[in-house]
């Protein structure tokens, strides 16, 4: 059985939606619980498919994990297995974040090369290189990355690119290394800051989080903690662009607006009225959006995870937009699906030229990843008739209560099951 969405176009989304914890943070925080024996409690966790996926990974390593609504409780044993379950790991990309904690805690890690969204190549070279500079040996064997170290020692590490995943694995290994690690060209995403905050609550000594240079002074032992996950800026950004695309009025709560500074500024340029508050923002659009150019970059640049929303709003905008993808080379594949709906697009390498149209028509479309799936739904809300969006399990991996939230905002959308094969 495969679920699909039936999306009826024409609604102007209006209302209030609350954002829960960040997918790109909670999975890494769950992995960090491996660093300390005892009970770690995470609150404000999103109810998405990837959380049970990570639960399965941790249970395969010897932890006991309980999910109760938005709370995840992880009991980490004195000794954990270094071998991450192949079937569990290959389901989603974030599973690779157990590599650093296992190497630090067990002296060995065997983690299958991860699966996840089909958005392009995401090699582990920088992950491996960082661990090797800390004193580990690494290699790929039988479809898994193997890391081993009798003792990790602090080092000066400079990343070729501010990779979020590499930053996370180096951080979670260095906190238990002997001596001081200085990580240059580190990722600056809010989710990195959130991870550092939790590690510090566990007893780690970290400075410079939120900047491109993070300093970690290794400690002998960490202790479990309780931590509240930051709000999901990508989900919040999705609702912001939904308001602008449908010429609606949406207030989003549970998020720090500074984490979405550039995406909200782009909406202002497109003609939206944007108001920000301490823990939320409001986006109101009274006209057809104006064309705006976008290029994805590491934080604080425009997020690659919001690139489908940038393409989506460009589909219905007045004028021509150029969207440049600098992070993942295969992220434009969902543009072919937009063209089924009548989008006017030309792909040229890592650029796509979108010429805004005034009319879109419904058609069956297929999600290729989490954000592309959400982007297709938003564009379907601007089309006439009923659009079928298939492979919506991708959306379920990143958006809690997606259909229910859309319905509350005034959308006509229905989840149905089908046995058809496409």
């Amino acid at each position: 059985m495969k679920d699909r969405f039936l999306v009826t176009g024409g609604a102007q989304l209006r209302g209030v939606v609350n954002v829960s914890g960040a997918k790109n943070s909670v999975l890494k925080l769950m992995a960090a619980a491996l660093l300390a024996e005892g009970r770690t409690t995470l609150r404000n966790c999103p109810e998405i498919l990837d959380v049970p996926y990570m639960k399965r990974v941790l249970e395969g390593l010897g932890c006991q994990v309980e999910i109760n609504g938005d709370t995840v409780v992880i009991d980490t044993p004195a000794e954990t297995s270094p071998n991450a379950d192949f079937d569990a790991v290959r389901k989603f990309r974030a599973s690779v974040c157990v590599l650093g904690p296992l190497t630090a805690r067990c002296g060995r890690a065997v983690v299958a090369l991860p699966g996840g969204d089909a958005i392009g190549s995401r090699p582990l070279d920088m992950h491996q290189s960082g661990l090797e500079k800390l004193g580990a040996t690494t290699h790929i064997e039988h479809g898994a990355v193997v890391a081993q170290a009798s003792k990790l020692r602090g080092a000066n590490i400079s990343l070729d690119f501010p990779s979020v995943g590499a930053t996370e694995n180096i951080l979670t290994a260095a906190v238990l290394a002997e001596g001081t690690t200085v990580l240059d060209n580190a990722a600056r995403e809010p989710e990195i800051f959130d991870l550092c905050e939790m590690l510090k609550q566990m007893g780690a000594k970290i400075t410079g989080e939120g900047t491109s240079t993070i300093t970690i002074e290794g400690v002998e032992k960490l202790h479990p903690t309780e931590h509240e996950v930051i709000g999901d800026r990508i989900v919040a950004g999705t609702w912001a662009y939904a308001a602008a695309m449908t010429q609606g009025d949406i207030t989003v709560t549970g998020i720090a607006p500074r984490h979405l500074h550039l995406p909200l500024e782009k909406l202002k340029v497109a003609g939206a009225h944007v108001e920000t508050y301490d823990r939320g923002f409001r986006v109101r659009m009274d006209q057809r959006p104006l064309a705006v150019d976008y290029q994805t970059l590491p934080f604080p640049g425009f997020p690659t995870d919001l690139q489908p929303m940038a393409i989506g709003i460009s589909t219905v905008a007045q004028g021509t937009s150029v969207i440049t993808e600098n992070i993942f080379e295969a992220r434009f594949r969902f543009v072919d699906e937009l063209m089924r709906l009548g989008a006017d697009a030309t792909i040229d390498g890592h650029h796509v030229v979108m010429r805004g149209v005034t009319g879109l028509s419904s058609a069956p479309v297929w999600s290729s990843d989490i954000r592309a799936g959400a982007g297709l739904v938003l564009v379907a809300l601007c089309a006439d008739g009923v659009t079928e969006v298939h492979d919506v399990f991708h959306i379920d991996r990143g958006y809690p209560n997606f259909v229910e939230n859309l319905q509350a905002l005034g959308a006509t959308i229905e989840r149905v099951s089908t046995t058809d094969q496409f």
Side-chain angles (χ1 to χ4, degrees), residues 241 243-247 267 269-272 285-292 313-314 316-319:
Y241 277 73
M245 290 172 62
T246 65
Q247 298 180 42
L267 286 180
V269 177
M285 181 68 90
D286 301 326
Q287 62 183 15
R288 184 181 170 197
L290 304 175
V292 178
I313 195 172
S314 301
V316 297
Q318 302 179 54

Side-chain angles (χ1 to χ4, degrees), residues 222-243:
L222 298 175
H223 55 77
T225 190
E226 295 188 6
H227 183 77
E228 181 171 324
V229 185
I230 61 169
D232 196 315
R233 63 192 171 100
I234 305 303
V235 172
T238 301
W239 298 129
Y241 277 73

Side-chain angles (χ1 to χ4, degrees), residues 106 150-151 185 209 259 400 407 420:
C106 305
S150 57
K151 191 173 190 64
N185 201 25
E209 62 273 26
H259 295 164
Q407 290 171 340
D420 294 341

Side-chain angles (χ1 to χ4, degrees), residues 375-422:
L376 286 172
V377 171
L378 299 193
V379 175
L381 289 169
C382 303
D384 65 7
V386 179
T387 296
E388 296 183 3
V389 181
H390 296 268
D391 290 345
V392 299
F393 65 90
H394 289 295
I395 301 172
D396 294 334
R397 289 183 45 225
Y399 289 86
N401 304 312
F402 188 67
V403 169
E404 294 79 3
N405 281 320
L406 280 170
Q407 290 171 340
L409 293 170
T412 301
I413 179 172
E414 178 186 2
R415 179 192 291 268
V416 297
S417 296
T418 180
T419 55
D420 294 341
Q421 299 298 313
F422 295 95

